[in-house]
Amino acid sequence: MLLRCQDPELGHHLVLDVPERATVREVATLIRRELELDSPPALFAYLGPEAIAALAEHALIDGDCVTLPEDLPIVYVLKNMRDSRLPVYFRTFEISTEKLFQLRTRRFSQMGYDIRRIHDSTVLIGGVGLIGSEVAINLAVLGIGNIIAVDNGFVDWFNVYRQTAFSRTDVYLAKVDALKRRLVDFGNIKVEAMLFDVPSWRSTDSRDELVRRIGVLDEAIARSDLIVGAFDSFSPRALLQSLCLIRKRPFLATALEPEVGQVMLYEKPEDGCYCCGLPNPQDGRWVEGGACTLASLDSQRIVGAIATKVAIEKVTGQKIHANEFRYNHRTSEIGTATHRASRLCSLCGPAGAVRSQIGDAKPLRKIAEWLFTDSR
Ligand SMILES: [Zn+2]
């Protein structure tokens, strides 16, 4: 059968010979081929009230203009035109950012994701390597509105493609800048690229400089709804955790080892904190981790996906049924657990660095003393 199509903006008129049983997708493919377009056109039509009611759940509708779902038979469209003299319209120009956002998040929305709330959230991601960049991309796919990316690293030849956000043209760029470039391309997202060396046990700064830099981080955490700790070493994660306790922000820590991946959420006082069960850094520093680059691809992807899931549940105020998740690469098992506060914790315990700072005018200095001045 013959189908009249028109691009109202660019003025293309086409008469296509399409199969009786063609869907909107097949018509879009024919138009794309006919006009040698770089991307498929979006098809829309002015339909009658019955069709609009029937499609309300499945299509973007503006008045009586319906953006046609790709699985819809074109015969259905023709039978339900508001006026049979009208053509089927298509757009070939660059889709608007707002429209793209609506389209790309629509199915998540139908699935039950609270896209509006996700979009209004700010997530700070500390460390945008193997897990952090993965979580950032996933959150952007789900429509997050604001990401603060904190990292002082640069993309190298070992990172590209393995770290999903980075490709060969990003090599030697700051990871936060390359990630920002990638995410901004999604549209409808604000990304703050903080090229920042989070104080750690490697830092050689003076005490005052440490406190100043902790203050910079603290200011960013105060603006965030959730903090993800995805650094490959302990002390930056411990620092993020201490600031989250001071600011009363949920802290999501991720860890990858060759065999086991972990996601841990610390929010309520009874959850304890990342440092519960770890020795007091005042008694000597822990051996800094760093084996995460040896993790398997399945561990990386699964831990990234679980961390994303928990982050979304957290920022949309859903109930989370466990506060610890483990993936075992050898057995392919995912398990949950519940961690509890330790009264002996040197950070969140009754005599810990955070609790004992109540009434103290300089909590950041106290944290610096707890984490960075050991008694050796
Ligand atoms: Zn603790």
Side-chain angles (χ1 to χ4, degrees):
M1 64 178 185
L2 294 178
L3 178 71
R4 287 186 305 121
C5 301
Q6 186 182 334
D7 178 340
E9 264 80 18
L10 300 180
H12 293 298
H13 292 265
L14 295 175
V15 178
L16 298 171
D17 189 2
V18 302
E20 293 282 341
R21 300 173 66 151
T23 60
V24 166
R25 184 194 298 114
E26 288 162 86
V27 173
T29 305
L30 285 173
I31 295 172
R32 180 177 184 180
R33 195 155 173 267
E34 184 76 19
L35 298 177
E36 296 179 7
L37 303 173
D38 289 335
S39 57
L43 269 64
F44 59 103
Y46 291 89
L47 301 183
E50 271 179 34
I52 285 175
L55 291 171
E57 289 292 305
H58 318 288
L60 284 179
I61 298 174
D62 182 10
D64 53 0
C65 177
V66 178
T67 301
L68 301 172
E70 58 181 20
D71 294 331
L72 200 65
I74 202 71
V75 170
Y76 178 89
V77 177
L78 295 178
K79 278 189 184 147
N80 286 282
M81 295 286 241
R82 187 188 70 191
D83 181 336
S84 62
R85 291 167 298 183
L86 290 173
V88 170
Y89 293 101
F90 62 95
R91 282 196 194 91
T92 57
F93 58 91
E94 190 66 20
I95 191 164
S96 77
T97 306
E98 189 55 44
K99 185 68 153 239
L100 175 62
F101 184 81
Q102 284 176 17
L103 289 170
R104 71 184 178 83
T105 58
R106 188 170 176 85
R107 285 180 180 158
F108 288 128
S109 177
Q110 288 170 334
M111 229 217 98
Y113 286 89
D114 186 344
I115 298 296
R116 190 41 50 196
R117 213 157 156 193
I118 293 171
H119 190 63
D120 287 343
S121 302
T122 301
V123 174
L124 182 147
I125 303 179
V128 293
L130 216 56
I131 296 290
S133 63
E134 185 112 359
V135 171
I137 295 275
N138 290 346
L139 290 176
V141 168
L142 287 165
I144 194 97
N146 307 279
I147 284 182
I148 303 175
V150 184
D151 200 301
N152 72 332
F154 290 78
V155 180
D156 64 28
W157 295 109
F158 300 99
N159 304 143
V160 296
Y161 308 123
R162 167 88 200 256
Q163 297 185 8
T164 327
F166 309 126
S167 67
R168 66 170 71 196
T169 53
D170 297 318
V171 171
Y172 303 148
L173 289 180
K175 283 187 176 177
V176 289
D177 291 335
L179 179 67
K180 178 175 180 172
R181 187 163 73 172
R182 173 80 192 275
L183 295 180
V184 163
D185 189 50
F186 282 51
N188 265 25
I189 182 170
K190 289 200 192 88
V191 181
E192 200 175 314
M194 267 178 84
L195 180 60
F196 182 76
D197 187 12
V198 172
S200 74
W201 289 331
R202 286 188 302 250
S203 306
T204 53
D205 299 311
S206 68
R207 181 72 54 82
D208 285 345
E209 176 59 11
L210 267 180
V211 172
R212 187 194 69 77
R213 291 204 290 129
I214 293 172
V216 172
L217 201 56
D218 178 56
E219 185 275 331
I221 284 174
R223 291 185 284 118
S224 305
D225 300 299
L226 173 79
I227 287 77
V228 178
F231 295 108
D232 60 0
S233 49
F234 289 118
S235 54
R237 281 190 228 149
L239 178 59
L240 284 184
Q241 171 68 88
S242 58
L243 296 173
C244 287
L245 286 170
I246 290 171
R247 289 287 178 181
K248 297 189 166 50
R249 294 292 189 275
F251 180 57
L252 190 64
T254 65
L256 268 187
E257 289 162 31
E259 290 281 307
V260 179
Q262 262 179 296
V263 175
M264 295 150 289
L265 177 68
Y266 303 98
E267 185 190 22
K268 301 183 287 294
E270 61 268 28
D271 293 340
C273 78
Y274 178 72
C275 300
C276 284
L278 292 171
N280 187 345
Q282 290 283 295
D283 298 335
R285 295 169 182 183
W286 321 317
V287 176
E288 289 274 37
C292 82
T293 47
L294 299 177
S296 63
L297 186 62
D298 50 302
S299 300
Q300 169 189 342
R301 295 275 196 260
I302 288 168
V303 168
I306 293 172
T308 305
K309 178 175 186 285
V310 177
I312 291 293
E313 287 169 344
K314 192 63 246 160
V315 299
T316 55
Q318 294 175 58
K319 182 163 172 48
I320 299 172
H321 297 276
N323 55 21
E324 189 165 324
F325 305 81
R326 278 170 178 269
Y327 170 69
N328 187 309
H329 163 67
R330 199 171 43 78
T331 62
S332 304
E333 284 171 323
I334 298 175
T336 61
T338 304
H339 51 243
R340 301 247 177 252
S342 160
R343 291 186 58 78
L344 300 175
C345 179
S346 63
L347 180 60
C348 76
V354 167
R355 293 280 199 95
S356 61
Q357 57 89 11
I358 293 170
D360 189 326
K362 294 169 185 149
L364 301 187
R365 191 162 287 272
K366 200 108 183 182
I367 292 301
E369 282 166 15
W370 164 73
L371 188 56
F372 296 111
T373 320
D374 62 36
S375 56
R376 286 175 303 177

